[in-house]
Amino acid sequence: MSKTLQAIRGMNDILPEQTPLWRYFEGRVASLLDGYGYRQIRMPIVEFTELFKRSIGEVTDIVEKEMYTFEDRNGDSLTLRPEGTAACVRAVLEHGLAGGGQTQKLWYIGPMFRHERPQKGRYRQFHQIGVEVFNIDGPDIDAELIVLTWRLWGLLGIRDAVTLELNSLGTSEARARYREALVDYLSARAERLDEDSRRRLASNPLRILDSKVAETQALLVDAPKLADYLDEESRVHFEGLKARLDAAGIPYVINPKLVRGLDYYSKTVFEWVTDKLGAQGTVCAGGRYDGLVEQMGGKPTPGVGFAMGIERLVLLIETLDQVPAEIARQVDLYLCAFGEPAELAALALAERLRDQLPGLRLQLNAGGGSFKSQLKKADKSGALYALVMGEDELARQVVGCKPLRDDSEQQNIAWAALAEHLAARI
Ligand code: HAM
């Protein structure tokens, strides 16, 4: 197939074999968030480019090199959203959702776009479920976000495979003081820095902390530490968060080098990481962004949130063999009919069963076929039972009920008794 008739590199079809696991995952997260009082918001996939530049930061990797930006027919510069927080803040501001100090606990789901180098767990179109909370400034809500993700990992059977990394970036003033000290220290040793880090020294020095270059890391051993520059308020906030995690029995690791790749964070930042997926091991990440709403033209409004990568979590569930057996089965009953009179009766019977058994997953054979071929399709569908209706059954107003997943005998069941018979078995 010619290249331009194929999917774009890093943008994947999610095939019917995979969608049951996606729906299972999404359903689990949605009902968990319902249970904690979060409400869903849906934002557009495209926004003005300026929105992302202003919120994520001009000198971040995302804005500098990863955005899908284009001019639309009006000459406006638009961008496919690389993440959800910016648009969520925009929507909250635009609709006054956090006005007058009103609390908002929101979540969203959908595709995000970043022009990164594709590899396992890293795609150019990927999917996130994100959560954002507005107008709660204490560490209790930071803890709630972590507690609910911890519960989710438990529900999904992946808790043992993930570790929580935690850090505090302090207020923007504290960070500015630290930045100065770090720049002083590194500038005096600039010749030992890698090229990327040297460039960042002027633009975004904190990102040097998570450089992968060994010599740069060696240089950082004696560098000033962010923790020593934390302001009192951030320090108290961080202690409050740690105390709550201890109380909830959630293990964590303090990672003083965790700075995150987006500029809007202050105070708490965290990542859930796994070593089971190779290089792309962060499955969920977030933090506090108390200055962002104001920076985007609103009143001072504390905010905190996170986003998880659906592809990575689905991959982790598969890797750990935690795909529940029942989600593989999408059909309960497969109804086979032979000859037009039986087909007509089967259609009516199928509709009656759907009325009687809400939620029933029944597949009616379409396209005819021999007894053998219909039963083969029934088996392949994953159904528990094949229902068989031929001339003989039609005349006697029964169906053959053939178990497909065990060796028990086929039984003839009267149409009138069928719903009751099935209700006890499915
Ligand atoms: P982020 O760390 O850029 O944060 O992304 C969050 C998660 O999305 C990552 O931990 C990862 O699981 C997934 N992810 C990111 N990029 C890719 C990719 N190219 N392919 C596959 N998965 C990916 C944010 O987006 C922030 N908006 C999170 C947040 C919300 N902070 C506060 N509120």
Side-chain angles (χ1 to χ4, degrees):
M1 205 190 283
S2 102
K3 187 168 173 274
T4 48
L5 293 181
Q6 291 177 7
I8 296 163
R9 193 161 115 84
M11 303 200 181
N12 301 312
D13 298 305
I14 298 156
L15 298 174
E17 286 69 36
Q18 301 164 298
T19 51
L21 180 55
W22 279 65
R23 292 178 62 188
Y24 156 78
F25 174 78
E26 291 164 4
R28 272 291 157 97
V29 182
S31 62
L32 179 87
L33 291 170
D34 284 346
Y36 280 85
Y38 290 77
R39 300 185 303 156
Q40 192 186 18
I41 181 167
R42 301 185 185 201
M43 298 86 66
I45 285 171
V46 186
E47 301 271 354
F48 286 115
T49 304
E50 191 56 26
L51 174 71
F52 301 114
K53 287 191 177 169
R54 282 268 294 271
S55 53
I56 298 170
E58 295 263 8
V59 286
T60 55
D61 282 352
I62 295 181
V63 171
E64 275 185 345
K65 31 185 198 208
E66 295 171 2
M67 295 207 299
Y68 281 91
T69 296
F70 60 96
E71 210 172 85
D72 80 351
R73 288 172 195 276
N74 302 332
D76 292 323
S77 178
L78 307 184
T79 293
L80 296 182
R81 62 180 184 192
E83 57 103 56
T85 309
C88 189
V89 167
R90 196 255 325 125
V92 161
L93 269 177
E94 196 164 330
H95 303 284
L97 300 185
Q102 204 184 147
T103 296
Q104 283 292 346
K105 296 165 74 173
L106 304 173
W107 71 276
Y108 50 83
I109 178 169
M112 308 290 160
F113 303 84
R114 295 183 195 175
H115 196 278
E116 296 188 79
R117 198 170 46 76
Q119 63 178 90
K120 180 181 170 190
R122 185 166 71 194
Y123 311 101
R124 289 179 174 171
Q125 173 173 334
F126 60 97
H127 298 78
Q128 285 184 345
I129 296 183
V131 171
E132 313 291 352
V133 179
F134 298 91
N135 277 324
I136 305 180
D137 60 8
D140 48 353
I141 193 70
D142 306 23
E144 176 172 288
L145 295 179
I146 290 172
V147 166
L148 76 84
T149 45
W150 174 249
R151 175 170 297 278
L152 179 65
W153 313 145
L155 289 170
L156 297 170
I158 58 175
R159 202 180 254 182
D160 292 345
V162 289
T163 307
L164 175 63
E165 296 192 358
L166 214 56
N167 194 19
S168 175
L169 300 180
T171 57
S172 55
E173 297 78 41
R175 217 158 49 248
R177 279 197 305 277
Y178 173 66
R179 188 182 299 125
E180 216 171 290
L182 183 68
V183 169
D184 281 352
Y185 173 88
L186 290 174
S187 300
R189 297 157 181 84
E191 75 290 347
R192 288 169 58 196
L193 281 176
D194 61 278
E195 200 185 313
D196 223 21
S197 295
R198 217 173 302 144
R199 193 176 54 84
R200 283 189 163 136
L201 199 51
S203 58
N204 199 351
L206 260 56
R207 286 308 302 279
I208 298 175
L209 296 181
D210 65 7
S211 160
K212 303 273 183 290
V213 179
E215 198 175 342
T216 298
Q217 278 305 331
L219 201 57
L220 285 168
V221 172
D222 296 321
K225 299 285 175 283
L226 181 53
D228 298 330
Y229 286 76
L230 273 196
D231 51 290
E232 183 62 8
E233 185 190 321
S234 301
R235 205 189 50 71
V236 171
H237 187 100
F238 200 40
E239 290 307 317
L241 171 59
K242 288 190 279 183
R244 282 166 177 80
L245 296 180
D246 292 338
I250 299 178
Y252 54 85
V253 177
I254 305 290
N255 176 358
K257 292 187 175 143
L258 183 64
V259 288
R260 310 274 299 124
L262 306 95
D263 276 357
Y264 48 61
Y265 292 110
S266 58
K267 293 186 180 160
T268 312
V269 287
F270 65 92
E271 292 193 353
W272 288 99
V273 296
T274 179
D275 58 7
K276 302 282 188 282
L277 296 180
Q280 302 306 317
T282 306
V283 293
C284 174
R288 191 162 265 288
Y289 46 85
D290 288 344
L292 181 58
V293 174
E294 197 178 0
Q295 189 186 313
M296 304 215 342
K299 297 226 164 61
T301 305
V304 59
F306 66 78
M308 50 186 127
I310 302 184
E311 283 83 357
R312 290 183 192 178
L313 282 159
V314 161
L315 209 55
L316 186 58
I317 294 169
E318 284 173 334
T319 306
L320 298 174
D321 243 343
Q322 293 296 322
V323 182
E326 69 270 15
I327 71 161
R329 183 165 65 80
Q330 292 190 75
V331 180
D332 302 316
L333 292 180
Y334 193 97
L335 179 45
C336 310
F338 307 95
E340 181 142 348
E343 281 177 12
L344 300 183
L347 173 60
L349 183 67
E351 288 307 302
R352 200 156 66 234
L353 283 176
R354 292 186 207 281
D355 289 339
Q356 292 168 322
L357 300 172
L360 176 71
R361 295 173 304 176
L362 182 156
Q363 198 168 319
L364 183 57
N365 184 71
S370 67
F371 183 75
K372 201 169 149 202
S373 81
Q374 289 199 35
L375 273 184
K376 208 162 148 191
K377 284 198 267 178
D379 192 45
K380 208 170 154 212
S381 76
L384 293 176
Y385 295 92
L387 298 181
V388 179
M389 174 109 77
E391 253 174 59
D392 190 37
E393 286 82 6
L394 178 58
R396 293 165 50 204
Q397 305 222 329
V398 299
V399 285
C401 183
K402 183 177 167 54
L404 295 171
R405 307 292 151 214
D406 60 47
D407 302 332
S408 53
E409 288 286 298
Q410 174 167 338
Q411 284 177 280
N412 281 336
I413 312 289
W415 294 352
L418 188 58
E420 201 179 326
H421 178 85
L422 293 170
R425 286 166 176 78
I426 292 172

